[in-house]
Amino acid sequence: MRTIGVTSRGIRTPIIKPGDDLASIVVESLKQAWEAEGFSLHDRDVVGITESVVARSQNNYATTGHIAAHVKTLTGGGHIGLVFPILSRNRFSVLLKGIAKGAEKLTLQLSYPADEVGNHLVGWDELDARGIDPYKVSFTEKEFRQAFGDKTVHPFTGIDYISFYREESGAEDISFVFSNDPCHILDYTDTVIAADIHTRARTRRLLEGAGARRVLTLDQILNESVEGSGFNSAYGLLGSNKASEDTIKLFPERGQEVVDAVHEQLFELTGKNVEVMVYGDGAFKDPVGKIWELADPVVSPAYTPGLVGTPNELKMKYLADTELKEYSGEEARQAMIRAINEKKADLKGNMASEGTTPRQLTDLLGSLCDLTSGSGDKGTPVILVQGYFDNYAS
């Protein structure tokens, strides 16, 4: 029996620049790594490539001017309500600048005590102490400040996002309201941009049902090129990141091209059928800061067909405590191997699989890749995962 299960390696690459042949760089970097470190590729190994370098290599950028032009075209550029933006300098500050440039007046409606991905304006304890039900009570900015103080500082960044967003927007006419009812914004304007990520379809449905004249979601802004800008046809502004004070790098538009090219080049070089995926944010939650990491619309926007589906696994600790509790030593090992080899093709509803994670393979693998590469200065935008599709019986 093999003594090592899943391994995840960060692969160093050159600094990727617009116009680079990313697929060839990924393959060459992998080759240099296995030659230097003495490992080899196997069938069903997984190569993950961070979305950031895919977008950069394809020069998928846009400016606040591009955002403003599209917003003005889509809305008419009058009084715009912006509902449920997340509290993120990296994710939203440049988008806010662009949207503000395309509007005569802007009203931001922030959810509280936290945004969609867990960034807190205030804590639940503060709400409880004041007897405030966030699902029933809405605030103006003045009322919010009176209730919670002149500064509401994010515990990780030390930023008061109300003041920060006002300054960053550059808008002459901007106001803030606080409510978890998306339709509250209709007290101020009937033209709304729903800036939430994973709940955007519900927000839009509620607003349209309440009589909003025009409702946009972020995936409708820059879902096509505007004045030569980059774009993403499926996700628009969703998944974008700050590149400079007035520029964003969009979610990669042609990620599948890179995935397919890397897969083909690795097969030609090694004869192995290696799975390939592009990954963004991992789908996990920080237990201390309560921040849900997934600020991208999906974990993986492009992947090879072998990564479609969910795991079909037995819960070994359940079997060890029940059906195999009378076995020990080699007898227990052999019994476990038999159970795994004889498992059904679909274990849904089977008690022996209860507690295994019913998530998409791309979400699980993308989270592993994201945790391995990090978001700082590790310099490993390519991840090699080996042994993921093995099990105790392999």
Side-chain angles (χ1 to χ4, degrees):
M1 184 171 66
R2 286 166 55 182
T3 57
I4 296 176
V6 180
T7 61
S8 180
R9 291 183 173 92
I11 306 298
R12 293 245 160 88
T13 71
I15 304 300
I16 308 300
K17 294 292 184 180
D20 283 349
D21 182 352
L22 181 60
S24 296
I25 291 172
V26 169
V27 172
E28 181 59 28
S29 298
L30 282 163
K31 183 173 181 289
Q32 291 176 1
W34 76 57
E35 289 176 347
E37 302 297 331
F39 62 87
S40 57
L41 295 188
H42 308 97
D43 288 328
R44 301 221 73 192
D45 284 352
V46 180
V47 172
I49 309 162
T50 183
E51 58 83 19
S52 177
V53 297
V54 179
R56 186 183 301 123
S57 70
Q58 296 175 345
N59 200 28
N60 202 22
Y61 292 85
T63 67
T64 54
H66 294 131
I67 297 170
H70 206 198
V71 166
K72 194 166 185 178
T73 297
L74 294 170
T75 67
H79 183 183
I80 295 175
L82 193 55
V83 178
F84 300 158
I86 65 172
L87 305 179
S88 171
R89 293 169 293 176
N90 175 45
R91 293 288 188 168
F92 195 71
S93 62
V94 180
L95 305 191
L96 176 59
K97 284 182 184 179
I99 293 168
K101 283 182 179 180
E104 294 175 8
K105 182 178 181 180
L106 200 60
T107 300
L108 261 69
Q109 180 175 314
L110 302 180
S111 55
Y112 77 98
D115 67 11
E116 177 188 8
V117 295
N119 292 297
H120 276 73
L121 277 172
V122 294
W124 278 101
D125 290 343
E126 294 175 85
L127 296 182
D128 293 341
R130 293 163 175 80
I132 295 171
D133 183 344
Y135 303 108
K136 294 181 180 179
V137 179
S138 300
F139 294 102
T140 63
E141 182 179 355
K142 181 178 180 181
E143 291 167 341
F144 191 82
R145 293 297 198 189
Q146 287 173 342
F148 299 107
D150 291 336
K151 280 193 173 291
T152 50
V153 176
H154 189 283
F156 279 12
T157 65
I159 297 291
D160 180 307
Y161 277 92
I162 303 168
S163 299
F164 175 74
Y165 276 172
R166 171 173 280 110
E167 183 177 343
E168 282 291 295
S169 73
E172 294 183 4
D173 193 347
I174 182 172
S175 59
F176 291 79
V177 296
F178 303 83
S179 178
N180 291 306
D181 176 6
C183 299
H184 180 69
I185 196 68
L186 299 179
D187 291 346
Y188 301 88
T189 177
D190 60 3
T191 302
V192 185
I193 296 175
D196 42 349
I197 305 163
H198 308 292
T199 55
R200 63 189 184 276
R202 177 177 184 268
T203 299
R204 178 173 186 162
R205 173 172 55 80
L206 292 174
L207 284 164
E208 289 178 338
R213 181 182 65 84
R214 184 75 172 101
V215 183
L216 295 175
T217 49
L218 290 182
D219 52 5
Q220 294 177 283
I221 304 172
L222 291 193
N223 59 356
E224 59 185 358
S225 182
V226 174
E227 300 173 356
S229 73
F231 67 99
N232 187 288
S233 57
Y235 301 115
L237 292 177
L238 292 175
S240 61
N241 285 272
K242 178 179 180 178
S244 72
E245 293 304 317
D246 289 292
T247 308
I248 57 169
K249 182 166 70 271
L250 292 141
F251 218 38
E253 166 66 9
R254 305 189 313 278
Q256 196 64 43
E257 293 179 10
V258 176
V259 163
D260 294 340
V262 171
H263 175 83
E264 291 168 9
Q265 289 183 33
L266 285 175
F267 185 80
E268 291 174 3
L269 185 62
T270 67
K272 302 300 181 183
N273 182 29
V274 176
E275 306 291 354
V276 186
M277 65 184 293
V278 175
Y279 69 92
D281 276 349
F284 49 84
K285 184 175 182 178
D286 181 88
V288 177
K290 313 302 181 187
I291 298 170
W292 183 253
E293 177 70 11
L294 187 56
D296 286 325
V298 291
V299 174
S300 178
Y303 44 86
T304 46
L307 297 180
V308 174
T310 58
N312 187 54
E313 300 176 351
L314 293 171
K315 197 77 169 179
M316 285 182 61
K317 60 185 179 184
Y318 172 80
L319 292 176
D321 289 339
T322 55
E323 298 175 26
L324 308 184
K325 66 179 179 181
E326 304 300 328
Y327 297 98
S328 61
E330 180 62 19
E331 191 178 24
R333 189 176 77 88
Q334 290 298 333
M336 186 68 76
I337 289 172
R338 283 195 302 273
I340 293 171
N341 284 334
E342 295 169 3
K343 68 183 177 183
K344 296 179 180 179
D346 184 1
L347 292 169
K348 186 176 181 180
N350 190 311
M351 183 61 73
S353 68
E354 185 175 297
T356 57
T357 309
R359 288 167 58 187
Q360 297 297 314
L361 291 169
T362 49
D363 292 345
L364 292 162
L365 283 159
S367 298
L368 175 58
C369 289
D370 190 25
L371 286 166
T372 303
S373 63
S375 58
D377 57 9
K378 289 184 172 59
T380 55
V382 176
I383 305 298
L384 174 64
V385 179
Q386 297 188 292
Y388 189 83
F389 293 101
D390 292 353
N391 58 40
Y392 188 74
S394 298

